[in-house]
Every structure is written in C-alpha cells, then in structure tokens.
Amino acid sequence: MTVGAARQLLSVEDVGIRFGGVVALDGVTFDIREREILGLIGPNGAGKTTLFNCLSRLYQPTNGDIRIGGRSILKCPAHAIVHEGIARTFQNVALFQKLSVLDNVKIGGHSRGPRSVTADVFALPSCGRRERELTAQARDVIEFLGLTEVEKKTVSDLPFGTQKRVELARALISRPKLLLLDEPAGGLNHEEVYALGDVIKHIRDRMGVTILLVEHHMGLVMSIADRVVALNFGRKLAEGAPSEIQTHPDVIRAYLGGDKK
Ligand SMILES: Nc1ncnc2c1ncn2[C@@H]1O[C@H](COP(=O)(O)OP(=O)(O)OP(=O)(O)O)[C@@H](O)[C@H]1O
Ligand SMILES: [Mg+2]
C-alpha cells in the first residue's frame, strides 16, 4: 500500500555506534513515515538489533541523532521512552509466565501515568479508579487482538503464537505512536506467521500505529511492509519498496554472502 505524502514520524540521522573495535552501525540514515510499516532486514550481524536498541534507548549511539516528531530522543532514558510514544516487544517473549493475560497487559499500562506513589501506598480512591481504568483499557486491547477468551488464562498455559499476541497487547496498551517489533515471527509456524502479518496490518490500519519490523522472515516482511531498509555490516545498503529490495543486486549479494565491504 502506498503512504502518499505522509509526514515523517521518526528520523534516524547518521547514526553510528561502536563497541570497542567493532563498528556495529556506521552513518545509518532513514525516516519512518506516519502510519507506515517499515521493514528492517539484513544478514546476521548487520546491525538490526543494535539499531533497534538505539531506538528503544538501550544503547547510546556514538554519533548521529534520532528524532521523533522533530525532537531528539537521545537524552531520554530507556524507562521513559513510552512517554515519547514508543513501545517495543522483545525477541524472546518477555511476559510474566505465572500471571494471567489480563495482568500481563495491565503491567504494560502501569509504565504510563498518571499515578502517584502516595495514592498507591495508601490505596486512595484515585488509585482504585486508576485500577478500574487500567482494567478497562487492557480489556479493550485484549478484545482488539482477539484474546478475550483467554484473558483469565495463565500465560505459560498458552501456545507460543498466542503469547506473542499478548506481548503485542501489552505494548499497545500504552497507545504508542511507534511500535518496534523485534523478530516477531521467530518460533512461529507457517499459519501463525501469516496470522501475525494480519494482526500487524490490523494494528496499523485500525489504531494508526506506525511500525518498525525487524525480521528475518522475508515472506512476512515483503508481504506487509510499505518500504524496506536493508543493512549490511552496519551500513544502509538499500531502501525502497519491497519489490525493489527483493531484486536489488547489492541486497541479493549480501544475502548470498559475497559482499565483504
Ligand atoms: N553489546 C555489544 N557488544 C559488542 N558487540 C556488539 C554488541 N551488540 C552488537 N554487537 C556487534 O555488533 C554487530 C551487529 O550486531 P547485531 O546484533 O545488531 O546484528 P543483527 O543484524 O541483529 O544480527 P542477527 O540477524 O544475527 O540478529 C555484530 O558484529 C555484533 O557482534
Ligand atoms: Mg539481531
């Protein structure tokens, strides 16, 4: 689908990061437009996760800038990134396995104000009200993702594909502008991958959330992304529509292992 003249939401400008002698990212520049699904691909070690970690503020770039709505997020600590409108899921499911689906989703809402420690500690009326609001918000997202039937179930009793959906619900309760997905198809079977693709599109289409999708599963990326950025050896190799990237000679060479730039 085309994005037309959509405004840019996030810009990655000349981002570089090194770990000792390893240059993990080098001069990476691209934009993510509002309501876009942007795929980020590249062979192993290309720097995808490193870039993802810079965006979610776990890593501090050595140079360059990352802006959301024109404002740099480089001074924002990782725990406060939700206030900038960014939410993420993890490569390995990071849910509380012994808690219910509903409780896991509500935990995602706790990182978002307004709340006060005093109100929590003394169980003031505002605290009970906040709890009820949170439960209602969680139920909305749970319904949106088709999880209502399992909302009381313990997460460890659910199939992996459903757990991934719970993680999405937990990220969405903060009503992010930008959702960062780190290899969401990992560990899923064929049907689950295609169901996930539909869920991701649904999130974009119905909630207006912009999505950055880091993924090795080319079928998924190429079927749902509006644009794709390809990295190799920490540099941007190509950027364009999925059909352009799939036939781009440098991308093909990088995946075949012949590119030693
Ligand atoms: N914390 C770190 N300390 C040292 N080196 C790191 C660190 N994080 C990443 N690197 C290095 O940065 C490079 C890019 O790694 P990254 O994990 O970002 O690749 P990737 O594209 O996500 O690969 P994969 O597809 O295998 O997940 C690699 O050479 C990696 O060893
Ligand atoms: Mg990675």
Side-chain angles (χ1 to χ4, degrees):
M1 105 167 234
T2 53
V3 194
R7 287 182 302 160
Q8 72 190 48
L9 176 67
L10 183 111
S11 54
V12 174
E13 296 170 6
D14 194 29
V15 164
I17 186 167
R18 56 174 70 229
F19 300 102
V22 178
V23 179
L25 291 174
D26 184 10
V28 175
T29 297
F30 64 90
D31 292 332
I32 306 180
R33 299 167 192 159
E34 275 179 6
R35 298 178 69 102
E36 179 172 48
I37 299 177
L38 185 84
L40 182 65
I41 65 164
N44 295 117
K48 304 180 295 297
T49 298
T50 304
L51 181 60
F52 194 96
N53 286 338
C54 290
L55 294 177
S56 57
R57 304 295 305 119
L58 292 179
Y59 289 168
Q60 183 70 4
T62 319
N63 54 280
D65 203 355
I66 299 170
R67 294 170 193 273
I68 186 157
R71 226 151 43 93
S72 177
I73 59 165
L74 291 191
K75 292 209 166 62
C76 175
H79 66 81
I81 198 70
V82 68
H83 301 297
E84 300 293 333
I86 298 181
R88 67 169 294 177
T89 62
F90 291 84
Q91 194 163 347
N92 301 305
V93 167
L95 295 167
F96 293 96
Q97 292 287 324
K98 294 291 161 212
L99 294 184
S100 70
V101 168
L102 181 63
D103 285 341
N104 267 280
V105 176
K106 281 168 72 177
I107 285 166
H110 270 297
S111 53
R112 187 179 178 245
R115 59 188 298 232
S116 111
V117 174
T118 323
D120 279 359
V121 168
F122 295 104
L124 297 178
S126 67
C127 183
R129 194 162 55 236
R130 170 83 189 117
E131 188 67 20
R132 284 194 298 279
E133 279 168 16
L134 198 55
T135 303
Q137 286 163 4
R139 290 217 160 101
D140 276 354
V141 183
I142 283 171
E143 190 187 350
F144 179 77
L145 290 180
L147 291 165
T148 302
E149 271 184 23
V150 295
E151 93 172 24
K152 293 198 176 67
K153 290 221 164 159
T154 303
V155 161
S156 58
D157 292 340
L158 298 172
F160 193 61
T162 311
Q163 292 192 20
K164 291 236 165 182
R165 206 175 269 231
V166 177
E167 252 209 310
L168 285 173
R170 188 175 61 179
L172 288 175
I173 195 178
S174 70
R175 301 277 162 179
K177 286 187 263 191
L178 176 66
L179 178 61
L180 307 174
L181 301 177
D182 195 3
E183 298 200 27
L188 298 186
N189 66 34
H190 191 73
E191 283 81 35
E192 287 171 332
V193 170
Y194 285 94
L196 175 73
D198 288 342
V199 171
I200 295 172
K201 276 195 287 191
H202 192 59
I203 291 170
R204 189 274 304 275
D205 295 344
R206 304 287 292 277
M207 293 182 85
V209 176
T210 305
I211 291 166
L212 177 76
L213 174 65
V214 172
E215 190 48 71
H216 273 295
H217 195 294
M218 287 302 144
L220 177 64
V221 176
M222 297 304 173
S223 64
I224 68 168
D226 299 299
R227 286 189 306 134
V228 178
V229 169
L231 295 179
N232 196 25
F233 297 111
R235 299 208 194 122
K236 187 172 81 174
L237 195 59
E239 176 179 355
S243 56
E244 290 169 296
I245 297 300
Q246 269 173 310
T247 53
H248 196 293
D250 291 345
V251 176
I252 294 169
R253 208 174 310 128
Y255 274 95
L256 293 176
D259 190 349
K260 298 289 178 215
K261 271 194 279 190

